[in-house]
Coordinates of all heavy atoms in Angstrom, one line a residue:
L1 N -9.8 -1.6 -5.8 CA -8.4 -1.6 -5.7 C -8.0 -3.0 -5.2 O -8.5 -3.5 -4.2 CB -7.9 -0.6 -4.7 CG -8.2 0.9 -5.1 CD1 -7.7 1.8 -4.0 CD2 -7.7 1.3 -6.4
V2 N -7.0 -3.6 -5.9 CA -6.6 -5.0 -5.5 C -5.1 -4.9 -5.3 O -4.3 -4.5 -6.2 CB -6.9 -6.0 -6.5 CG1 -6.3 -7.4 -6.1 CG2 -8.4 -6.1 -6.8
Q3 N -4.6 -5.2 -4.1 CA -3.2 -5.1 -3.7 C -2.5 -6.4 -3.9 O -3.0 -7.5 -3.8 CB -3.0 -4.5 -2.3 CG -3.6 -3.2 -2.1 CD -3.5 -2.7 -0.7 OE1 -4.4 -2.1 -0.1 NE2 -2.3 -3.0 -0.1
S4 N -1.1 -6.3 -4.0 CA -0.3 -7.4 -4.0 C -0.3 -8.1 -2.6 O -0.7 -7.5 -1.7 CB 1.1 -7.1 -4.5 OG 1.6 -6.0 -3.7
G5 N 0.3 -9.3 -2.6 CA 0.2 -10.1 -1.3 C 1.3 -9.7 -0.3 O 2.2 -8.9 -0.6
E6 N 1.2 -10.4 0.8 CA 2.1 -10.2 1.9 C 3.6 -10.2 1.5 O 3.9 -11.0 0.6 CB 1.9 -11.3 3.0 CG 2.7 -11.2 4.2 CD 2.4 -12.3 5.2 OE1 1.2 -12.8 5.1 OE2 3.2 -12.6 6.0
A7 N 4.4 -9.3 2.0 CA 5.8 -9.2 1.7 C 6.6 -9.0 2.9 O 6.2 -8.5 3.9 CB 5.9 -8.0 0.7
S8 N 7.8 -9.6 2.8 CA 8.8 -9.5 3.9 C 10.2 -9.2 3.3 O 10.5 -9.6 2.2 CB 8.7 -10.7 4.8 OG 9.1 -11.9 4.0
A9 N 11.0 -8.6 4.2 CA 12.4 -8.4 3.8 C 13.2 -8.2 5.1 O 12.7 -8.0 6.2 CB 12.5 -7.1 3.0
Q10 N 14.5 -8.3 4.9 CA 15.5 -8.0 6.0 C 15.7 -6.5 6.0 O 15.6 -5.8 5.0 CB 16.8 -8.7 5.8 CG 16.7 -10.3 5.8 CD 16.3 -10.7 7.2 OE1 15.3 -11.4 7.4 NE2 17.2 -10.4 8.2
A11 N 16.1 -6.0 7.2 CA 16.5 -4.6 7.3 C 17.5 -4.3 6.3 O 18.5 -5.0 6.1 CB 17.0 -4.3 8.7
G12 N 17.4 -3.1 5.6 CA 18.3 -2.7 4.6 C 17.8 -3.2 3.2 O 18.4 -2.7 2.2
G13 N 16.9 -4.0 3.1 CA 16.4 -4.6 1.9 C 15.4 -3.7 1.2 O 15.1 -2.6 1.6
S14 N 14.8 -4.2 0.1 CA 13.9 -3.5 -0.7 C 12.6 -4.4 -1.0 O 12.7 -5.6 -1.1 CB 14.5 -3.1 -2.0 OG 15.6 -2.2 -1.8
L15 N 11.5 -3.7 -1.2 CA 10.3 -4.3 -1.6 C 9.5 -3.5 -2.6 O 9.7 -2.2 -2.5 CB 9.4 -4.6 -0.4 CG 9.9 -5.7 0.6 CD1 9.0 -5.6 1.8 CD2 9.9 -7.1 0.0
R16 N 8.7 -4.1 -3.4 CA 7.7 -3.3 -4.2 C 6.3 -3.8 -4.0 O 6.1 -5.0 -4.1 CB 8.1 -3.5 -5.7 CG 6.9 -3.0 -6.6 CD 7.3 -3.0 -8.1 NE 7.9 -1.7 -8.5 CZ 7.9 -1.3 -9.7 NH1 7.5 -2.0 -10.7 NH2 8.5 -0.1 -10.0
L17 N 5.4 -2.9 -3.6 CA 4.0 -3.2 -3.5 C 3.3 -2.7 -4.7 O 3.7 -1.7 -5.3 CB 3.4 -2.5 -2.3 CG 4.1 -2.8 -0.9 CD1 3.4 -2.1 0.2 CD2 4.3 -4.3 -0.7
S18 N 2.2 -3.3 -5.1 CA 1.4 -2.9 -6.2 C -0.1 -2.8 -5.8 O -0.5 -3.5 -4.9 CB 1.6 -3.8 -7.4 OG 1.1 -5.1 -7.2
C19 N -0.8 -2.0 -6.6 CA -2.2 -1.8 -6.3 C -2.9 -1.6 -7.7 O -2.6 -0.6 -8.3 CB -2.4 -0.6 -5.4 SG -4.2 -0.1 -5.2
R20 N -3.7 -2.5 -8.1 CA -4.4 -2.5 -9.4 C -5.7 -1.9 -9.2 O -6.6 -2.4 -8.5 CB -4.4 -3.9 -10.0 CG -5.0 -3.8 -11.4 CD -5.1 -5.2 -12.1 NE -6.1 -6.1 -11.4 CZ -5.8 -7.1 -10.6 NH1 -4.6 -7.4 -10.3 NH2 -6.8 -7.8 -10.1
A21 N -6.0 -0.8 -10.0 CA -7.3 -0.1 -9.9 C -8.1 -0.5 -11.1 O -7.6 -0.8 -12.2 CB -7.1 1.4 -10.0
S22 N -9.4 -0.6 -10.9 CA -10.4 -1.0 -11.9 C -10.6 0.1 -13.0 O -11.1 -0.2 -14.0 CB -11.7 -1.4 -11.3 OG -12.3 -0.3 -10.6
R23 N -10.2 1.3 -12.6 CA -10.3 2.4 -13.5 C -9.4 3.6 -13.0 O -8.9 3.5 -11.9 CB -11.8 3.0 -13.6 CG -12.3 3.4 -12.2 CD -13.5 4.4 -12.4 NE -13.0 5.6 -13.0 CZ -13.8 6.6 -13.5 NH1 -15.1 6.4 -13.5 NH2 -13.3 7.7 -14.0
Y24 N -9.2 4.5 -13.9 CA -8.4 5.7 -13.5 C -8.9 6.5 -12.4 O -10.1 6.7 -12.3 CB -8.2 6.6 -14.7 CG -7.4 7.8 -14.4 CD1 -6.0 7.8 -14.4 CD2 -8.1 9.0 -14.2 CE1 -5.3 9.0 -14.1 CE2 -7.3 10.2 -13.9 CZ -6.0 10.1 -13.9 OH -5.2 11.3 -13.6
A25 N -8.0 6.8 -11.5 CA -8.3 7.7 -10.4 C -7.3 8.8 -10.4 O -6.1 8.5 -10.5 CB -8.4 7.0 -9.0
T26 N -7.7 10.1 -10.2 CA -6.8 11.2 -10.2 C -5.7 11.1 -9.2 O -4.5 11.2 -9.4 CB -7.5 12.5 -10.1 OG1 -8.4 12.6 -11.2 CG2 -6.5 13.7 -10.2
S27 N -6.1 10.8 -7.9 CA -5.2 10.8 -6.8 C -5.2 9.4 -6.2 O -6.2 8.8 -6.0 CB -5.5 11.8 -5.7 OG -5.4 13.1 -6.2
M28 N -4.0 8.9 -5.9 CA -3.8 7.6 -5.2 C -2.7 7.8 -4.2 O -1.9 8.6 -4.3 CB -3.5 6.5 -6.2 CG -4.6 6.3 -7.3 SD -4.3 4.8 -8.3 CE -4.6 3.5 -7.2
A29 N -2.8 6.9 -3.2 CA -1.9 7.0 -2.1 C -1.7 5.7 -1.4 O -2.4 4.7 -1.6 CB -2.4 8.0 -1.0
W30 N -0.6 5.6 -0.6 CA -0.3 4.5 0.3 C -0.4 5.0 1.7 O 0.2 6.1 2.1 CB 1.1 3.9 0.0 CG 1.2 3.2 -1.3 CD1 1.7 3.7 -2.4 CD2 0.8 1.9 -1.5 NE1 1.6 2.7 -3.4 CE2 1.1 1.6 -2.9 CE3 0.2 0.8 -0.8 CZ2 0.8 0.4 -3.5 CZ3 -0.1 -0.4 -1.4 CH2 0.3 -0.6 -2.7
F31 N -1.1 4.3 2.5 CA -1.2 4.5 4.0 C -0.6 3.3 4.7 O -0.6 2.2 4.1 CB -2.6 4.8 4.5 CG -3.1 6.2 4.1 CD1 -3.3 6.6 2.8 CD2 -3.3 7.1 5.2 CE1 -3.8 7.9 2.6 CE2 -3.7 8.4 4.9 CZ -4.0 8.8 3.6
R32 N -0.3 3.4 5.9 CA 0.1 2.3 6.7 C -0.4 2.4 8.1 O -0.6 3.5 8.6 CB 1.6 2.0 6.7 CG 2.5 3.1 7.4 CD 4.0 2.8 7.2 NE 4.8 3.8 7.9 CZ 6.1 3.9 7.8 NH1 6.7 3.0 6.9 NH2 6.8 4.8 8.4
Q33 N -0.6 1.2 8.8 CA -1.1 1.2 10.1 C -0.6 0.0 10.9 O -0.4 -1.1 10.4 CB -2.7 1.1 10.0 CG -3.4 1.2 11.3 CD -4.9 1.2 11.1 OE1 -5.4 0.7 10.2 NE2 -5.6 1.9 12.1
T34 N -0.2 0.3 12.1 CA 0.3 -0.7 13.1 C -0.8 -0.9 14.1 O -1.6 0.0 14.4 CB 1.6 -0.4 13.7 OG1 1.5 0.9 14.3 CG2 2.7 -0.3 12.6
P35 N -0.8 -2.0 14.8 CA -1.8 -2.2 15.9 C -1.9 -1.1 16.9 O -0.9 -0.7 17.4 CB -1.4 -3.5 16.5 CG -0.7 -4.3 15.4 CD 0.0 -3.2 14.7
G36 N -3.1 -0.6 17.2 CA -3.3 0.4 18.2 C -3.0 1.8 17.7 O -3.0 2.7 18.6
T37 N -2.6 2.0 16.5 CA -2.3 3.4 16.0 C -3.3 3.8 14.9 O -4.0 2.9 14.3 CB -0.9 3.4 15.4 OG1 -0.8 2.7 14.2 CG2 0.1 2.9 16.4
E38 N -3.3 5.1 14.6 CA -4.1 5.6 13.5 C -3.4 5.3 12.2 O -2.2 5.1 12.1 CB -4.4 7.1 13.7 CG -3.1 7.9 13.5 CD -3.4 9.4 13.7 OE1 -4.5 9.7 14.1 OE2 -2.5 10.2 13.4
R39 N -4.2 5.2 11.1 CA -3.7 5.0 9.8 C -3.0 6.3 9.3 O -3.5 7.4 9.4 CB -4.8 4.6 8.8 CG -4.3 4.1 7.5 CD -5.5 3.5 6.7 NE -6.0 2.3 7.4 CZ -7.0 1.5 6.9 NH1 -7.5 1.8 5.7 NH2 -7.4 0.5 7.6
E40 N -1.7 6.2 8.9 CA -1.0 7.4 8.5 C -0.6 7.3 7.0 O -0.3 6.3 6.5 CB 0.3 7.5 9.4 CG 1.3 6.4 9.2 CD 2.5 6.6 10.0 OE1 2.6 7.6 10.8 OE2 3.5 5.8 9.9

C-alpha cells in the first residue's frame, strides 16, 4: 500500500487522502494515531 503525501488544511476545510494497492483486497480501512495514543 502506498499512500499520498502529507496534507494540511484549515478548520472547516476538506482534504482527500489516497492509498494505492498493488492488488485487490476485499477489505480496506483508514486508521489514525496521535502521539501517545492507540491506533483507532
Side-chain angles (χ1 to χ4, degrees):
L1 304 175
V2 179
Q3 298 180 218
S4 52
E6 181 179 336
S8 62
Q10 296 293 119
S14 301
L15 292 170
R16 165 172 272 203
L17 308 183
S18 66
C19 172
R20 185 179 70 251
S22 62
R23 60 157 294 169
Y24 175 80
T26 299
S27 295
M28 298 186 72
W30 292 97
F31 284 69
R32 66 186 183 187
Q33 187 172 28
T34 55
T37 71
E38 66 181 11
R39 194 168 297 185
E40 64 178 4

